[in-house]
Coordinates of all heavy atoms in Angstrom, one line a residue:
M280 N 14.7 229.1 -10.7 CA 14.6 227.8 -11.2 C 15.9 227.1 -11.0 O 17.0 227.7 -11.3 CB 14.1 227.7 -12.6 CG 13.9 226.2 -13.1 SD 13.4 226.1 -14.8 CE 11.7 226.5 -14.7
A281 N 16.0 225.8 -10.5 CA 17.2 225.1 -10.2 C 17.8 224.7 -11.5 O 17.2 224.5 -12.5 CB 16.9 223.9 -9.4
D282 N 19.2 224.7 -11.5 CA 19.9 224.2 -12.7 C 19.7 222.7 -12.9 O 19.6 221.9 -11.9 CB 21.4 224.4 -12.5 CG 21.8 225.9 -12.5 OD1 21.4 226.5 -13.6 OD2 22.4 226.4 -11.6
T283 N 19.4 222.3 -14.1 CA 19.2 220.9 -14.4 C 20.2 220.5 -15.4 O 20.5 221.2 -16.5 CB 17.9 220.7 -15.0 OG1 16.9 221.2 -14.1 CG2 17.6 219.2 -15.3
T284 N 21.0 219.4 -15.2 CA 21.9 218.9 -16.2 C 21.3 217.6 -16.8 O 21.0 216.7 -16.1 CB 23.2 218.5 -15.5 OG1 23.7 219.6 -14.8 CG2 24.2 218.0 -16.5
L285 N 21.2 217.7 -18.1 CA 20.6 216.5 -18.9 C 21.8 215.7 -19.3 O 22.9 216.2 -19.8 CB 19.9 217.0 -20.1 CG 18.6 217.8 -19.8 CD1 18.1 218.3 -21.1 CD2 17.7 217.0 -19.0
K286 N 21.8 214.4 -19.2 CA 22.8 213.5 -19.5 C 22.6 213.2 -21.0 O 21.6 212.7 -21.4 CB 22.8 212.3 -18.6 CG 23.2 212.6 -17.2 CD 23.7 211.4 -16.5 CE 24.0 211.7 -15.1 NZ 25.4 211.8 -14.8
T287 N 23.6 213.4 -21.8 CA 23.6 213.1 -23.2 C 24.5 211.9 -23.4 O 25.2 211.5 -22.5 CB 24.1 214.3 -24.0 OG1 25.4 214.5 -23.7 CG2 23.3 215.5 -23.8
Q288 N 24.6 211.4 -24.6 CA 25.4 210.3 -24.8 C 26.9 210.7 -24.6 O 27.7 209.8 -24.1 CB 25.3 209.9 -26.3 CG 25.9 208.6 -26.6 CD 25.5 208.0 -28.0 OE1 25.2 208.9 -28.8 NE2 25.7 206.8 -28.3
E289 N 27.2 211.9 -24.7 CA 28.7 212.3 -24.5 C 28.9 212.4 -22.9 O 30.0 212.2 -22.5 CB 29.0 213.7 -25.1 CG 28.9 213.7 -26.5 CD 27.5 213.8 -27.1 OE1 26.7 214.4 -26.6 OE2 27.3 213.2 -28.2
T290 N 28.0 212.6 -22.1 CA 28.2 212.8 -20.7 C 27.7 211.7 -19.8 O 28.0 211.6 -18.6 CB 27.6 214.2 -20.1 OG1 26.2 214.1 -20.3 CG2 28.2 215.3 -20.9
A291 N 26.8 210.8 -20.4 CA 26.2 209.7 -19.6 C 27.3 208.7 -19.3 O 28.3 208.5 -20.0 CB 25.2 209.0 -20.4
P292 N 27.2 208.1 -18.1 CA 28.2 207.0 -17.8 C 28.1 205.8 -18.7 O 27.0 205.5 -19.3 CB 27.7 206.6 -16.4 CG 26.3 207.0 -16.2 CD 26.1 208.2 -17.1
E293 N 29.2 205.1 -18.9 CA 29.2 203.9 -19.7 C 28.3 202.9 -19.2 O 27.7 202.1 -19.9 CB 30.6 203.5 -19.9 CG 30.8 202.5 -20.9 CD 32.2 202.1 -21.2 OE1 33.1 202.9 -21.1 OE2 32.5 200.9 -21.6
W294 N 28.3 202.7 -17.9 CA 27.5 201.7 -17.2 C 26.5 202.3 -16.2 O 26.8 203.3 -15.6 CB 28.5 200.7 -16.4 CG 29.3 199.9 -17.3 CD1 30.6 200.3 -17.7 CD2 29.0 198.7 -17.9 NE1 31.1 199.2 -18.4 CE2 30.2 198.3 -18.6 CE3 27.9 197.9 -17.9 CZ2 30.2 197.1 -19.3 CZ3 28.0 196.7 -18.6 CH2 29.1 196.3 -19.3
V295 N 25.3 201.8 -16.1 CA 24.3 202.3 -15.2 C 23.9 201.1 -14.3 O 23.6 200.0 -14.7 CB 23.1 202.8 -16.1 CG1 22.0 203.3 -15.1 CG2 23.5 203.9 -17.0
E296 N 23.8 201.5 -13.0 CA 23.5 200.4 -12.1 C 21.9 200.2 -12.2 O 21.2 201.1 -12.1 CB 23.8 200.9 -10.6 CG 23.5 199.8 -9.6 CD 23.9 200.2 -8.2 OE1 25.1 200.7 -8.1 OE2 23.2 199.9 -7.3
V297 N 21.6 199.0 -12.4 CA 20.1 198.6 -12.6 C 19.6 197.7 -11.6 O 18.4 197.4 -11.6 CB 19.8 198.2 -14.0 CG1 20.1 199.2 -15.1 CG2 20.6 196.9 -14.4
G298 N 20.4 197.1 -10.7 CA 20.0 196.2 -9.8 C 21.1 195.7 -8.9 O 22.3 196.1 -9.0
V299 N 20.7 194.8 -8.0 CA 21.7 194.2 -7.0 C 21.6 192.7 -7.1 O 20.4 192.1 -7.0 CB 21.3 194.7 -5.5 CG1 22.2 194.0 -4.6 CG2 21.4 196.2 -5.5
L300 N 22.7 192.0 -7.2 CA 22.7 190.6 -7.1 C 22.4 190.1 -5.7 O 23.2 190.6 -4.8 CB 24.1 190.1 -7.5 CG 24.1 188.5 -7.7 CD1 25.0 188.2 -8.9 CD2 24.6 187.8 -6.5
Q301 N 21.3 189.5 -5.5 CA 21.0 189.1 -4.1 C 21.7 187.8 -3.6 O 22.1 187.7 -2.5 CB 19.4 188.9 -4.0 CG 18.7 190.2 -4.1 CD 17.3 190.1 -3.8 OE1 16.6 189.1 -4.4 NE2 16.7 190.9 -3.0
R302 N 21.6 186.8 -4.5 CA 22.2 185.5 -4.1 C 22.2 184.5 -5.3 O 21.7 184.8 -6.4 CB 21.4 184.9 -3.0 CG 19.9 184.6 -3.4 CD 19.1 184.1 -2.2 NE 17.7 184.2 -2.5 CZ 16.9 183.3 -3.2 NH1 17.6 182.2 -3.7 NH2 15.7 183.5 -3.4
G303 N 22.9 183.4 -5.1 CA 22.9 182.3 -6.1 C 21.7 181.6 -6.0 O 20.9 181.7 -4.9
H304 N 21.3 180.8 -7.0 CA 20.0 180.1 -7.0 C 20.4 178.7 -7.6 O 20.7 178.6 -8.7 CB 18.9 180.7 -7.8 CG 17.7 180.0 -7.8 ND1 16.8 180.0 -6.8 CD2 17.1 179.1 -8.6 CE1 15.7 179.3 -7.0 NE2 15.9 178.7 -8.1
G305 N 20.2 177.6 -6.8 CA 20.4 176.3 -7.3 C 21.9 176.0 -7.4 O 22.7 176.7 -6.8
I306 N 22.3 174.9 -8.1 CA 23.6 174.5 -8.3 C 24.2 174.7 -9.6 O 25.4 174.4 -9.9 CB 23.7 173.0 -7.9 CG1 22.9 172.1 -8.8 CG2 23.4 172.8 -6.4 CD1 23.1 170.6 -8.6
R307 N 23.5 175.3 -10.6 CA 24.0 175.5 -11.9 C 24.3 176.9 -12.3 O 24.4 177.2 -13.5 CB 22.8 174.9 -12.9 CG 22.7 173.4 -12.7 CD 22.0 172.8 -13.9 NE 22.1 171.4 -13.8 CZ 21.0 170.7 -13.7 NH1 19.8 171.2 -13.7 NH2 21.1 169.3 -13.6
G308 N 24.4 177.7 -11.3 CA 25.0 179.1 -11.6 C 23.9 180.2 -11.8 O 24.3 181.3 -12.1
D309 N 22.6 179.9 -11.7 CA 21.6 180.9 -11.7 C 21.8 181.9 -10.6 O 22.3 181.4 -9.5 CB 20.2 180.3 -11.8 CG 19.9 179.5 -13.0 OD1 20.5 179.7 -14.0 OD2 19.0 178.6 -12.9
V310 N 21.3 183.1 -10.8 CA 21.4 184.1 -9.7 C 20.1 184.8 -9.6 O 19.3 184.9 -10.6 CB 22.6 185.1 -9.9 CG1 23.9 184.4 -9.8 CG2 22.4 185.8 -11.2
I311 N 19.8 185.3 -8.4 CA 18.7 186.2 -8.2 C 19.2 187.7 -8.2 O 20.0 188.1 -7.4 CB 18.0 185.8 -6.9 CG1 17.6 184.4 -6.8 CG2 16.7 186.8 -6.6 CD1 16.6 183.9 -7.9
I312 N 18.5 188.4 -9.1 CA 18.8 189.9 -9.2 C 17.7 190.6 -8.7 O 16.5 190.3 -9.1 CB 19.1 190.2 -10.6 CG1 20.4 189.4 -11.2 CG2 19.3 191.8 -10.8 CD1 21.7 190.0 -10.8
K313 N 17.9 191.7 -7.9 CA 16.7 192.5 -7.6 C 16.9 193.9 -8.3 O 17.8 194.7 -8.0 CB 16.7 192.8 -6.1 CG 15.5 193.7 -5.7 CD 15.2 193.7 -4.2 CE 14.0 194.6 -4.1 NZ 13.4 194.4 -2.7
P314 N 16.1 194.1 -9.3 CA 16.1 195.3 -10.1 C 15.7 196.5 -9.3 O 14.9 196.4 -8.5 CB 15.1 195.2 -11.2 CG 14.7 193.7 -11.2 CD 15.0 193.2 -9.8
H315 N 16.4 197.6 -9.5 CA 16.0 198.9 -8.8 C 14.6 199.3 -9.2 O 13.8 199.8 -8.4 CB 17.0 200.0 -9.1 CG 18.4 199.8 -8.5 ND1 18.5 199.3 -7.2 CD2 19.6 200.0 -9.0 CE1 19.8 199.1 -7.0 NE2 20.5 199.6 -8.0
N316 N 14.3 199.1 -10.5 CA 13.0 199.4 -11.0 C 12.4 198.2 -11.8 O 12.7 198.1 -12.9 CB 13.0 200.6 -11.9 CG 11.6 201.1 -12.4 OD1 10.6 200.4 -12.1 ND2 11.6 202.2 -13.0
P317 N 11.7 197.3 -11.1 CA 11.2 196.1 -11.8 C 10.3 196.4 -13.0 O 10.2 195.5 -13.9 CB 10.4 195.4 -10.7 CG 10.8 196.0 -9.4 CD 11.3 197.4 -9.7
A318 N 9.7 197.5 -13.1 CA 8.8 197.8 -14.2 C 9.6 198.1 -15.5 O 9.0 198.1 -16.6 CB 8.0 199.1 -13.9
T319 N 10.9 198.3 -15.5 CA 11.6 198.7 -16.7 C 11.8 197.5 -17.6 O 11.9 197.8 -18.9 CB 13.1 199.2 -16.4 OG1 13.8 198.2 -15.8 CG2 13.0 200.4 -15.5
G320 N 11.9 196.3 -17.2 CA 12.1 195.2 -18.1 C 13.5 195.1 -18.7 O 13.7 194.7 -19.8
V321 N 14.5 195.8 -18.0 CA 15.8 195.9 -18.6 C 16.5 194.6 -18.8 O 17.4 194.4 -19.6 CB 16.6 197.0 -17.8 CG1 17.0 196.4 -16.4 CG2 17.9 197.4 -18.6
F322 N 16.2 193.6 -17.9 CA 16.9 192.3 -18.0 C 16.4 191.5 -19.1 O 15.3 190.8 -18.9 CB 16.9 191.6 -16.6 CG 17.7 192.3 -15.5 CD1 17.2 193.2 -14.6 CD2 19.1 192.1 -15.5 CE1 17.9 193.8 -13.7 CE2 19.9 192.8 -14.6 CZ 19.3 193.7 -13.6
V323 N 17.1 191.4 -20.2 CA 16.7 190.6 -21.3 C 17.8 189.8 -21.8 O 19.0 190.1 -21.6 CB 16.1 191.5 -22.5 CG1 14.8 192.2 -22.1 CG2 17.2 192.5 -22.9
K324 N 17.6 188.8 -22.5 CA 18.6 187.9 -23.1 C 19.6 188.8 -24.0 O 19.2 189.6 -24.7 CB 18.0 186.8 -24.0 CG 19.0 185.8 -24.6 CD 18.4 184.8 -25.4 CE 19.4 183.8 -25.9 NZ 18.8 182.7 -26.6
G325 N 20.9 188.6 -23.7 CA 21.9 189.4 -24.5 C 22.4 190.6 -23.8 O 23.4 191.2 -24.2
L326 N 21.7 191.1 -22.7 CA 22.1 192.3 -22.0 C 23.5 192.0 -21.5 O 23.8 191.1 -20.9 CB 21.2 192.6 -20.8 CG 21.5 193.7 -19.9 CD1 21.4 195.1 -20.7 CD2 20.7 193.7 -18.7
A327 N 24.5 193.0 -21.7 CA 25.8 193.0 -21.1 C 25.7 193.6 -19.7 O 25.1 194.7 -19.5 CB 26.7 193.9 -22.0
I328 N 26.2 192.9 -18.7 CA 26.2 193.4 -17.4 C 27.6 193.3 -16.8 O 28.4 192.5 -17.2 CB 25.2 192.7 -16.4 CG1 25.6 191.3 -16.3 CG2 23.8 192.8 -17.0 CD1 24.8 190.6 -15.2
R329 N 27.8 194.2 -15.8 CA 29.1 194.2 -15.0 C 28.8 193.9 -13.5 O 27.9 194.6 -13.0 CB 29.8 195.5 -15.2 CG 31.0 195.8 -14.4 CD 31.7 197.0 -14.8 NE 30.8 198.1 -14.3 CZ 31.2 199.3 -14.2 NH1 32.4 199.7 -14.7 NH2 30.5 200.3 -13.8
L330 N 29.4 193.0 -12.9 CA 29.2 192.7 -11.5 C 30.3 193.3 -10.8 O 31.5 192.9 -11.0 CB 29.1 191.2 -11.3 CG 28.0 190.4 -11.9 CD1 28.0 188.9 -11.7 CD2 26.6 191.0 -11.6
V331 N 30.0 194.3 -9.8 CA 31.0 194.9 -9.0 C 30.8 194.4 -7.6 O 29.7 194.6 -7.0 CB 30.8 196.4 -9.1 CG1 31.9 197.2 -8.2 CG2 30.9 196.9 -10.5
P332 N 31.7 193.7 -7.0 CA 31.6 193.2 -5.6 C 31.3 194.4 -4.6 O 31.8 195.5 -4.8 CB 32.9 192.6 -5.2 CG 33.4 192.2 -6.6 CD 33.0 193.3 -7.5
K333 N 30.4 194.1 -3.6 CA 30.1 195.1 -2.6 C 31.3 195.7 -2.0 O 32.3 195.0 -1.7 CB 29.2 194.5 -1.6 CG 28.6 195.4 -0.6 CD 27.6 194.7 0.4 CE 27.0 195.7 1.2 NZ 26.0 195.1 2.2
N334 N 31.3 197.0 -1.8 CA 32.4 197.8 -1.3 C 33.7 197.8 -2.1 O 34.7 198.3 -1.7 CB 32.8 197.2 0.1 CG 31.6 197.4 1.1 OD1 30.9 198.3 1.0 ND2 31.5 196.4 1.9
D335 N 33.6 197.4 -3.4 CA 34.7 197.6 -4.3 C 34.4 198.7 -5.3 O 33.2 199.0 -5.5 CB 34.9 196.3 -5.2 CG 35.8 195.3 -4.5 OD1 36.1 195.4 -3.3 OD2 36.2 194.2 -5.2
S336 N 35.5 199.2 -5.9 CA 35.2 200.3 -6.9 C 35.0 199.6 -8.3 O 35.4 198.4 -8.5 CB 36.4 201.2 -6.9 OG 37.5 200.6 -7.6
P337 N 34.4 200.3 -9.2 CA 34.2 199.8 -10.6 C 35.5 199.5 -11.3 O 35.5 198.7 -12.2 CB 33.4 200.9 -11.3 CG 32.7 201.6 -10.2 CD 33.6 201.6 -9.0
E338 N 36.6 199.9 -10.8 CA 37.9 199.7 -11.4 C 38.6 198.5 -10.7 O 39.7 198.1 -11.1 CB 38.8 200.9 -11.3 CG 38.3 202.1 -12.2 CD 37.2 202.9 -11.6 OE1 37.0 202.9 -10.3 OE2 36.4 203.4 -12.3
S339 N 38.0 197.8 -9.8 CA 38.6 196.7 -9.1 C 38.9 195.6 -10.0 O 38.2 195.3 -11.0 CB 37.6 196.3 -8.0 OG 38.1 195.0 -7.4
S340 N 40.0 194.8 -9.7 CA 40.3 193.6 -10.5 C 39.3 192.5 -10.2 O 39.3 191.5 -11.0 CB 41.6 193.2 -10.1 OG 41.8 192.8 -8.8
R341 N 38.4 192.6 -9.3 CA 37.4 191.6 -9.0 C 36.1 191.8 -9.7 O 35.2 191.0 -9.7 CB 37.1 191.5 -7.5 CG 38.3 191.2 -6.7 CD 38.1 191.0 -5.2 NE 37.0 191.7 -4.7 CZ 36.1 191.2 -3.7 NH1 36.4 190.0 -3.2 NH2 35.2 191.8 -3.2
V342 N 36.0 192.9 -10.5 CA 34.8 193.1 -11.4 C 34.8 192.1 -12.5 O 35.8 191.7 -13.1 CB 34.9 194.6 -12.0 CG1 33.8 194.7 -13.0 CG2 34.8 195.6 -10.9
T343 N 33.6 191.6 -12.7 CA 33.5 190.6 -13.8 C 32.4 191.1 -14.8 O 31.5 191.8 -14.5 CB 33.1 189.2 -13.3 OG1 31.9 189.3 -12.5 CG2 34.2 188.6 -12.4
Y344 N 32.5 190.6 -16.1 CA 31.6 191.0 -17.1 C 30.9 189.7 -17.7 O 31.5 188.7 -17.8 CB 32.3 191.7 -18.3 CG 33.0 193.0 -17.8 CD1 34.2 193.0 -17.2 CD2 32.3 194.2 -17.9 CE1 34.8 194.1 -16.7 CE2 32.9 195.4 -17.4 CZ 34.1 195.3 -16.9 OH 34.8 196.5 -16.4
H345 N 29.6 189.9 -17.9 CA 28.7 188.8 -18.4 C 27.7 189.2 -19.4 O 27.4 190.4 -19.5 CB 28.0 188.1 -17.2 CG 29.0 187.7 -16.1 ND1 29.7 186.4 -16.1 CD2 29.4 188.3 -15.0 CE1 30.5 186.4 -15.0 NE2 30.3 187.5 -14.4
R346 N 27.1 188.2 -20.0 CA 25.8 188.5 -20.8 C 24.7 187.7 -20.2 O 25.0 186.5 -19.8 CB 26.0 188.0 -22.2 CG 27.0 188.9 -23.0 CD 26.3 189.6 -24.1 NE 27.2 190.5 -24.7 CZ 27.0 191.8 -25.1 NH1 25.8 192.2 -24.8 NH2 27.9 192.5 -25.7
V347 N 23.6 188.2 -20.3 CA 22.3 187.5 -19.7 C 22.0 186.4 -20.8 O 21.9 186.7 -21.9 CB 21.2 188.4 -19.5 CG1 19.9 187.6 -19.2 CG2 21.5 189.5 -18.4
L348 N 21.9 185.2 -20.3 CA 21.6 184.1 -21.3 C 20.1 183.8 -21.2 O 19.5 183.4 -22.2 CB 22.4 182.8 -20.9 CG 23.9 182.9 -21.1 CD1 24.5 181.5 -20.6 CD2 24.3 183.2 -22.4
S349 N 19.5 183.9 -20.0 CA 18.0 183.7 -19.9 C 17.5 184.4 -18.6 O 18.3 184.7 -17.7 CB 17.7 182.2 -19.8 OG 18.4 181.6 -18.8
V350 N 16.3 184.8 -18.7 CA 15.5 185.4 -17.6 C 14.3 184.6 -17.3 O 13.5 184.3 -18.3 CB 15.1 186.9 -18.0 CG1 14.4 187.5 -16.9 CG2 16.3 187.8 -18.5
Y351 N 14.2 184.2 -16.1 CA 13.0 183.5 -15.7 C 12.0 184.3 -15.0 O 12.2 185.5 -14.7 CB 13.5 182.3 -14.7 CG 14.6 181.4 -15.4 CD1 15.9 181.6 -15.2 CD2 14.1 180.3 -16.2 CE1 16.8 180.8 -15.9 CE2 15.0 179.5 -16.8 CZ 16.4 179.7 -16.6 OH 17.2 178.9 -17.2
A352 N 10.9 183.8 -14.6 CA 9.8 184.4 -14.0 C 10.3 185.0 -12.7 O 11.4 184.5 -12.1 CB 8.7 183.5 -13.6
K353 N 9.6 186.0 -12.1 CA 10.0 186.6 -10.9 C 10.3 185.5 -9.8 O 9.6 184.5 -9.7 CB 9.0 187.6 -10.5 CG 9.0 188.7 -11.4 CD 8.1 189.9 -10.9 CE 8.1 191.0 -11.9 NZ 7.5 192.1 -11.5
A354 N 11.3 185.7 -9.0 CA 11.6 184.8 -8.0 C 11.2 185.3 -6.6 O 11.8 184.9 -5.6 CB 13.1 184.6 -8.0
G355 N 10.2 186.0 -6.4 CA 9.6 186.5 -5.2 C 10.4 187.7 -4.7 O 11.6 187.8 -4.9
K356 N 9.7 188.4 -3.8 CA 10.3 189.7 -3.2 C 11.0 190.6 -4.2 O 12.0 191.2 -4.0 CB 11.4 189.2 -2.2 CG 10.8 188.5 -1.0 CD 11.8 188.2 0.1 CE 11.1 187.4 1.2 NZ 12.0 187.1 2.3
G357 N 10.4 190.7 -5.4 CA 10.9 191.6 -6.4 C 12.1 191.1 -7.2 O 12.7 191.9 -8.0
G358 N 12.6 189.9 -7.0 CA 13.8 189.4 -7.6 C 13.5 188.7 -8.9 O 12.4 188.2 -9.1
L359 N 14.5 188.6 -9.8 CA 14.4 187.9 -11.1 C 15.5 186.8 -11.0 O 16.6 187.1 -10.6 CB 14.7 188.8 -12.3 CG 13.7 189.9 -12.6 CD1 14.2 190.8 -13.7 CD2 12.3 189.3 -12.9
K360 N 15.2 185.6 -11.5 CA 16.2 184.6 -11.6 C 16.7 184.6 -13.0 O 16.0 184.6 -14.0 CB 15.5 183.2 -11.4 CG 16.6 182.1 -11.4 CD 15.9 180.7 -11.0 CE 15.5 180.0 -12.2 NZ 15.1 178.6 -12.0
I361 N 18.0 184.8 -13.1 CA 18.7 185.0 -14.4 C 19.9 184.0 -14.6 O 20.4 183.6 -13.5 CB 19.0 186.4 -14.7 CG1 20.2 186.9 -13.9 CG2 17.9 187.3 -14.7 CD1 20.7 188.2 -14.3
T362 N 20.2 183.6 -15.7 CA 21.4 182.8 -16.0 C 22.4 183.8 -16.8 O 22.0 184.5 -17.7 CB 21.0 181.6 -16.9 OG1 20.0 180.9 -16.3 CG2 22.3 180.8 -17.2
L363 N 23.7 183.8 -16.4 CA 24.7 184.6 -16.9 C 25.7 183.7 -17.6 O 26.0 182.6 -17.0 CB 25.3 185.5 -15.9 CG 24.4 186.4 -15.1 CD1 25.2 187.1 -13.9 CD2 23.9 187.4 -16.0
D364 N 26.3 184.1 -18.6 CA 27.4 183.4 -19.3 C 28.6 183.4 -18.3 O 28.8 184.3 -17.6 CB 27.8 183.9 -20.6 CG 28.5 185.2 -20.6 OD1 28.3 186.0 -19.7 OD2 29.2 185.6 -21.5
G365 N 29.3 182.3 -18.3 CA 30.5 182.3 -17.5 C 30.4 181.9 -16.1 O 31.3 181.8 -15.3
I366 N 29.1 181.7 -15.6 CA 28.8 181.3 -14.3 C 28.1 179.9 -14.4 O 27.0 179.9 -14.8 CB 27.9 182.3 -13.4 CG1 28.6 183.6 -13.4 CG2 27.6 181.8 -12.1 CD1 27.9 184.7 -12.7
R367 N 28.8 178.9 -14.0 CA 28.4 177.5 -14.2 C 27.9 176.8 -12.9 O 27.2 175.9 -12.9 CB 29.5 176.7 -14.8 CG 30.0 177.2 -16.1 CD 29.0 176.8 -17.2 NE 29.5 177.2 -18.5 CZ 28.9 178.0 -19.3 NH1 27.7 178.4 -19.0 NH2 29.4 178.5 -20.5
D368 N 28.4 177.3 -11.8 CA 28.0 176.8 -10.5 C 28.1 177.8 -9.4 O 28.4 178.9 -9.6 CB 28.9 175.6 -10.1 CG 30.4 175.9 -10.0 OD1 30.7 177.1 -9.8 OD2 31.2 175.0 -10.3
R369 N 27.8 177.4 -8.2 CA 27.8 178.4 -7.0 C 29.3 178.6 -6.8 O 29.7 179.5 -6.2 CB 27.1 177.7 -5.8 CG 25.7 177.8 -5.9 CD 25.1 177.4 -4.5 NE 23.8 178.1 -4.6 CZ 23.2 178.5 -3.5 NH1 23.7 178.5 -2.3 NH2 22.1 179.1 -3.5

């Protein structure tokens, strides 16, 4: 039988990647996020998220932290339209 490592609170990463920011939406700072697993329902008001620019490390100075302010209906192609604190425009 193969070795299996269970992640506990002590060994689990502090942040878990749950989706990819696809693009901005409109002129008021909304964004379209494509969840890795749309069935999880992880994107809810108050969720703390970290945005890591493509090809940057999580320790990059360009990483930003936000809270989800609102989640709208699905935006087609598996994406969700969400509003994040601190993002006011494109």
